[in-house]
Amino acid sequence: MKHVDVTVHVLHAISELCVVGGAEIVRNIDPLFQKLTQLINDSSSLQRREAALRTIGRIARSTAYVVDPYKDYPNLLDDLLRLLKTEMSSKMRRQAISTLGILGALDPYTHKVFTGAVQSATSISTALSLPMARDAADPRQDIIQWYNYEKCTLEEFYPAITIANLMVMVQDEAFTQYYKEIAQALLTIFRSLGDSFPQYVQQVVPRLIEVTRACRGRPSHREFFLRQLASLVAIIKVHAKPYMKQIFSLIADAWSEDQSVKVTVVSVLEQIGTALGQEFAPHIAELIPYLLYVVQTDKSEDRKLTAQVRS
């Protein structure tokens, strides 16, 4: 009996910690839920079942871990409904109803998919009580859903949503006059993220490449974005490797621009080469024809471009 009491008190403590636990609770949801789903089926102790049920509801409410528990623990819904039907304690039945309400509504067909009663190639849990993204192309909506459904922490959410807003602004010509400030903000964020920046690279580099490519015929804009791309590569270093083919495609296009863009391109190549180090070696073969072309066609004053290439 004493052991049961200790377990109940521990569950009560976890329930209260959910309110202030934040990221630590999020990181430990899986081991907590695994044990809690076992405890709500503990027929030997009403107190354990009640405490476990309350803790499930508190965790779900505090961390936005809703609907997904039905996918991660396919028997959970059946267990809760069974408690609602068979539990003699009115307090337990009320707690079961409360927990069901917190976890959210689930399509019956989707539930059958989760339990294996129906085979489906694709099944996505959707909280019917929560709004779906109106614009699937808007990365900010993806991040909000990522936070709600994929259990990311606030430390991950804030940089992600800020970067998404900045990238939306970069792609909007109405913000042309603020491009410098936007770029500085992006670079500052990446520098401040430390070792956690890799998860945001995919959010920025492809879009920055798209924006740079869209600047065809606008040399000043292309120069600016090429410089920002080079500065970003200098920060993310080897994490830029998956995008090198696209970056070299941009560089190939830039050779047709005026002299100032070519100067920028050579500078960008130098920065990228320095950032990637040995990882840049496989791209040298692609680079040499362009550099030779610069040397052969350089008409700049005092052949400054050639001097820059040779340095």
Side-chain angles (χ1 to χ4, degrees), residues 239-310:
H239 296 283
K241 189 176 178 181
Y243 308 100
M244 288 308 300
K245 185 176 181 180
Q246 294 167 280
I247 292 174
F248 271 101
S249 175
L250 283 178
I251 290 171
D253 289 343
W255 291 119
S256 61
E257 299 282 357
D258 60 25
Q259 198 74 11
S260 62
V261 177
K262 291 179 181 177
V263 172
T264 301
V265 168
V266 174
S267 176
V268 166
L269 287 171
E270 183 180 356
Q271 285 182 265
I272 292 175
T274 302
L276 293 181
Q278 293 182 349
E279 297 293 335
F280 190 71
H283 304 285
I284 292 177
E286 299 177 57
L287 177 61
I288 288 176
Y290 296 110
L291 297 180
L292 289 175
Y293 177 78
V294 170
V295 173
Q296 293 168 356
T297 62
D298 184 13
K299 297 180 181 179
S300 62
E301 184 179 353
D302 298 328
R303 295 180 64 84
K304 291 181 180 179
L305 196 54
T306 300
Q308 188 177 359
V309 169
R310 293 177 63 184

Side-chain angles (χ1 to χ4, degrees), residues 112-279:
K112 290 180 180 179
V113 172
F114 291 163
T115 57
V118 174
Q119 296 297 321
S120 175
T122 57
S123 60
I124 302 175
S125 62
T126 303
L128 301 183
S129 58
L130 292 176
M132 294 298 291
R134 294 182 180 179
D135 183 3
D138 190 339
R140 294 169 295 185
Q141 294 291 348
D142 293 337
I143 293 163
I144 291 170
Q145 287 194 339
W146 176 43
Y147 176 66
N148 284 329
Y149 299 114
E150 300 299 328
K151 307 181 289 295
C152 78
T153 65
L154 288 176
E155 287 84 353
E156 296 167 329
F157 173 75
Y158 288 132
I161 197 68
T162 303
I163 290 170
N165 276 296
L166 290 171
M167 295 313 298
V168 169
M169 293 169 70
V170 162
Q171 293 176 295
D172 189 344
E173 292 188 1
F175 292 96
T176 302
Q177 59 181 323
Y178 301 110
Y179 277 171
K180 184 177 180 180
E181 288 78 7
I182 293 170
Q184 288 176 345
L186 275 172
L187 296 177
T188 300
I189 290 171
F190 268 83
R191 290 190 187 100
S192 66
L193 286 171
D195 295 335
S196 63
F197 74 79
Q199 61 183 307
Y200 304 102
V201 170
Q202 188 177 5
Q203 191 180 344
V204 174
V205 176
R207 289 181 178 271
L208 203 53
I209 290 172
E210 289 176 14
V211 173
T212 307
R213 184 174 288 114
C215 292
R216 183 187 294 273
R218 291 178 291 174
S220 61
H221 282 68
R222 175 163 285 201
E223 280 185 66
F224 173 79
F225 284 115
L226 281 171
R227 289 196 192 98
Q228 305 317 310
L229 193 57
S231 298
L232 185 60
V233 171
I235 297 172
I236 65 177
K237 299 185 184 300
V238 295
H239 296 283
K241 189 176 178 181
Y243 308 100
M244 288 308 300
K245 185 176 181 180
Q246 294 167 280
I247 292 174
F248 271 101
S249 175
L250 283 178
I251 290 171
D253 289 343
W255 291 119
S256 61
E257 299 282 357
D258 60 25
Q259 198 74 11
S260 62
V261 177
K262 291 179 181 177
V263 172
T264 301
V265 168
V266 174
S267 176
V268 166
L269 287 171
E270 183 180 356
Q271 285 182 265
I272 292 175
T274 302
L276 293 181
Q278 293 182 349
E279 297 293 335

